[in-house]
C-alpha cells in the first residue's frame, strides 16, 4: 500500500487508490482488506459486475451504517440514501414518480431557463477573461434545478448567495475524511456543534418552503402535468394513508412526514451537489482535451437543432424529446461517468448472503461489502484502453467500438438502491451541452492555476504525484468525490469558421 500511496496525490480519492492496488497485485474479482482502525470491519471488495449484482440486485444488501457517520450530517437520518427497510421503501415510493423519465420531460422548460442563467454567468467570465473554478459554477446550476424539480421554488443560487447552499457547503467542509488512517486526526470537539447549527439552519429553510407549498397546494394552478416532486410525493403519501385506513389526516401537519421530506430535500441537494456538478465539469474538461470528440458533439447538435444556436433553447422547450436524439452526446456523458464515477456503494453483510464466484463461496456477514465501481470501470478486460476517453464505446450498435458487458457500467449503481436522480442528471447534462458547447470554448486552465500558485512544472502530472491516470484533473474527497481544486478553467466565445 505504501508504495502506491507515495506515488499518487495525497488528496486523491480512495477509489483511485483501489484501481492501482488491483493492477499492481493482480487481485481477483473479490478480495478482502483489513484496514483497522479506519474501519472496524473487514472490507469485502468486489470488482466484478456479475458478483456485484449478487449484493445489489439478487440480494440487495442494506447500506452500511458508515453512511450515517460520514454523510448523515448532510442528508439527515431519514434520507433514502442510507435508510433501510420500510422507511426507505416508503420514501422511495413517494418520490419515484417525481423522478421518472416521462415526468422529468415535463419539467425540461424550467431546467432550460436555469441553464440560460448559467450561460449568462459564463458570459460574465468571458467579459472578464478570468481564470475561474468551473465545478462550483455548474454546481450552483444543479442546485437551482433541484429546487425547481423537487419543490417548485427558484433558489437563484447562480445569481446571488443562497442561504441553503452556503450552509450546506459549509457543512460539507466539516465532513471527516473517510480515507484518514489516523483515527485521531478526525477528532474535532467543535464539529458536533457546527453540525447542529448548520442542520437547524438548513432544516428551517426547507421547512419554510414546504409549509408555503402545503398552504398553496390546493389552490395552486399547475400548467399541464408540470408538478414538482413534492406534490407527487404528497399524492403518494395521501394514497398510503388511505391504504392504511388513516383518514382526516392532513399531510402538512404530520411532523414525521415533514421531517422525512426535509431529509430527502437535503439528499437531493447532496446528489446535485456532487453528481451533476462534478460530471458536467469533467465533461468540459475531457472535451477540451479531445477536440475531435468536441467537434463530433457540435456536429450532432447542429443536425438536431440547426445551425442557429440562439434557437436551441426554445426548440428544447417546444419538443424535449429532441434530447433523446443525441447518441454521441449521451456517449460522451456515459464515458465521462465511466472515468469519473462519483463513488462506490458500501453495503452491510448479513447471515443469508454469500458471494458466489465459481466454486468459491464467500460469506458477507461481518463485512463492509464494497462494490468498487471505479475499479470495474477501469478493468481492461471490460473496457479496453480503460484510461482513455473513448465515447464511441457507448454508441448504439453497429457504430459502437465495443460491447459493454452486462452491469459493467454502474456510476449510479444498479438494483433497487440505484440513484433515484440518474435520469435527471443525464437530462441536465444534455441540456447544458446543447446550450453551451456551440456558444463557448471552455478549456482546462491547470497550467495557469499551478503557475499562479508557484508550483513546479505547471500543468504537468509529475509522474502521478499531481494527477491520476495521465490527467492533471483527478477526484478528491470532499464528502464525495469531486474535481480537485474545483476544476480551474477559462472560457471564451466560440470561434467559428
Amino acid at each position: 500500500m505504501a508504495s502506491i500511496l507515495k506515488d499518487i496525490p495525497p488528496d486523491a480519492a480512495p477509489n483511485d487508490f483501489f484501481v492501482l492496488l488491483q493492477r499492481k497485485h493482480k487481485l481477483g474479482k473479490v478480495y478482502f482488506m483489513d484496514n483497522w482502525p479506519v474501519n472496524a470491519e473487514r472490507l469485502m471488495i468486489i470488482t466484478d459486475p456479475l458478483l456485484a449484482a449478487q449484493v445489489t440486485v439478487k440480494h440487495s444488501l442494506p447500506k452500511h451504517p458508515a453512511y450515517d457517520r460520514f454523510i448523515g450530517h448532510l442528508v439527515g437520518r431519514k434520507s433514502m440514501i442510507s435508510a433501510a427497510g420500510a422507511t426507505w421503501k416508503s420514501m422511495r415510493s413517494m418520490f419515484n414518480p417525481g423522478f421518472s423519465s416521462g415526468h422529468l420531460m415535463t419539467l425540461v422548460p424550467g431546467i432550460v431557463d436555469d441553464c440560460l442563467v448559467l450561460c449568462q454567468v459564463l458570459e460574465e467570465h468571458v467579459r472578464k477573461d478570468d481564470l475561474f473554478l468551473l465545478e462550483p459554477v455548474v454546481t450552483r446550476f444543479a442546485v437551482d434545478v433541484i429546487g425547481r424539480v423537487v419543490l417548485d421554488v427558484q433558489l437563484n443560487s447562480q445569481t446571488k448567495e443562497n442561504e441553503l447552499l452556503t450552509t450546506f457547503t459549509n457543512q460539507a467542509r466539516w465532513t471527516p475524511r473517510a480515507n484518514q488512517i489516523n483515527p485521531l486526526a478526525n477528532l474535532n470537539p467543535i464539529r458536533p456543534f457546527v453540525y447542529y447549527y448548520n442542520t437547524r439552519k438548513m432544516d428551517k429553510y426547507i421547512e419554510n418552503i414546504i409549509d408555503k407549498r402545503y398552504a398553496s397546494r390546493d389552490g395552486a394552478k399547475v400548467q399541464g402535468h408540470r408538478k414538482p416532486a413534492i406534490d407527487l410525493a404528497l399524492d403518494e403519501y395521501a394514497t398510503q394513508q388511505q391504504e392504511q385506513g388513516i383518514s382526516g389526516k392532513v399531510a402538512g401537519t404530520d411532523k414525521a412526514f415533514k421531517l422525512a421530506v426535509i431529509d430527502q430535500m437535503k439528499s437531493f441537494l447532496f446528489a446535485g451537489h456532487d453528481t451533476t456538478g462534478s460530471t458536467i465539469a469533467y465533461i468540459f474538461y475531457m472535451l477540451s482535451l479531445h477536440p475531435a470528440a468536441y467537434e463530433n458533439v457540435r456536429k450532432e447538435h447542429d443536425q438536431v437543432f440547426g445551425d442557429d444556436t440562439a434557437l436551441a433553447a426554445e426548440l428544447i422547450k417546444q419538443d424535449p424529446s429532441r434530447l433523446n436524439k443525441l447518441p454521441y452526446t449521451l456517449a460522451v456523458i456515459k464515458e465521462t461517468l465511466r472515468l469519473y464515477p462519483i463513488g462506490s456503494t458500501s453495503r452491510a453483510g448479513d447471515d443469508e448472503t454469500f458471494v458466489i464466484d465459481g466454486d468459491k463461496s464467500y460469506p458477507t456477514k461481518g463485512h463492509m461489502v464494497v462494490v468498487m465501481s471505479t475499479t470495474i470501470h477501469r478493468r481492461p478486460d471490460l473496457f479496453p484502453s480503460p484510461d482513455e476517453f473513448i465515447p464511441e464505446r457507448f454508441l448504439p450498435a453497429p457504430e459502437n467500438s465495443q460491447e459493454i458487458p452486462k452491469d459493467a457500467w454502474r456510476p449510479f449503481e444498479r438494483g433497487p438502491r440505484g440513484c433515484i436522480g440518474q435520469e435527471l442528471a443525464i437530462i441536465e447534462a444534455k441540456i447544458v451541452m446543447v446550450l453551451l458547447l456551440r456558444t463557448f470554448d471552455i478549456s482546462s486552465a491547470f497550467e495557469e492555476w499551478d503557475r499562479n500558485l508557484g508550483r513546479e512544472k505547471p500543468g504537468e502530472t509529475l509522474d502521478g504525484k499531481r494527477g491520476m491516470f495521465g490527467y492533471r484533473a483527478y477526484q478528491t474527497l470532499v464528502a464525495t468525490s469531486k474535481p480537485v481544486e474545483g476544476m480551474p478553467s477559462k472560457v471564451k466565445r466560440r470561434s467559428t469558421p
Side-chain angles (χ1 to χ4, degrees), residues 117-129 439-440 491 493:
V117 177
L118 175 59
C119 290
Q120 294 172 9
V121 173
L122 291 180
E123 286 282 10
E124 182 62 17
H125 286 294
V126 170
R127 187 188 67 79
K128 293 189 293 187
D129 189 28
T439 302
F440 302 103
V491 60
R493 269 277 176 174

Side-chain angles (χ1 to χ4, degrees), residues 374-395:
T374 307
T375 302
I376 294 174
H377 286 179
R378 290 184 182 266
R379 269 179 51 180
D381 59 322
L382 299 176
F383 296 96
S385 303
D387 298 335
E388 294 183 21
F389 180 72
I390 309 174
E392 288 75 14
R393 66 174 101 232
F394 286 102
L395 287 174

Side-chain angles (χ1 to χ4, degrees), residues 97-137:
F99 287 89
S100 68
S101 179
H103 176 69
L104 289 173
M105 280 297 184
T106 69
L107 303 178
V108 161
I111 300 175
V112 170
D113 287 338
D114 286 328
C115 190
L116 291 175
V117 177
L118 175 59
C119 290
Q120 294 172 9
V121 173
L122 291 180
E123 286 282 10
E124 182 62 17
H125 286 294
V126 170
R127 187 188 67 79
K128 293 189 293 187
D129 189 28
D130 62 344
L131 186 155
F132 67 102
L133 302 184
L134 179 60
E135 188 271 334
V137 170

Side-chain angles (χ1 to χ4, degrees), residues 346-361:
S346 299
R347 307 297 178 95
D350 62 22
D351 294 329
E352 302 175 355
T353 305
F354 292 75
V355 174
I356 310 299
D357 182 16
D359 59 353
K360 298 179 180 179
S361 177

Side-chain angles (χ1 to χ4, degrees), residues 330-379:
L330 180 59
V332 167
I333 296 169
K334 286 187 171 183
E335 178 70 343
T336 302
L337 284 165
R338 182 188 70 83
L339 293 170
Y340 301 103
I342 300 307
S344 298
T345 185
S346 299
R347 307 297 178 95
D350 62 22
D351 294 329
E352 302 175 355
T353 305
F354 292 75
V355 174
I356 310 299
D357 182 16
D359 59 353
K360 298 179 180 179
S361 177
Y362 304 99
T364 63
K365 182 181 179 180
H367 292 88
M368 176 189 285
V369 182
V370 183
V371 176
M372 201 61 69
S373 57
T374 307
T375 302
I376 294 174
H377 286 179
R378 290 184 182 266
R379 269 179 51 180

Side-chain angles (χ1 to χ4, degrees), residues 393-405:
R393 66 174 101 232
F394 286 102
L395 287 174
E399 287 79 18
N400 56 325
S401 62
Q402 72 159 99
E403 290 292 330
I404 306 299

Side-chain angles (χ1 to χ4, degrees), residues 35-39 176-187:
N35 66 339
W36 186 89
V38 177
N39 287 296
R177 291 181 60 186
N179 59 338
Q180 180 57 251
I181 297 176
N182 180 1
L184 298 179
N186 278 331
L187 294 180

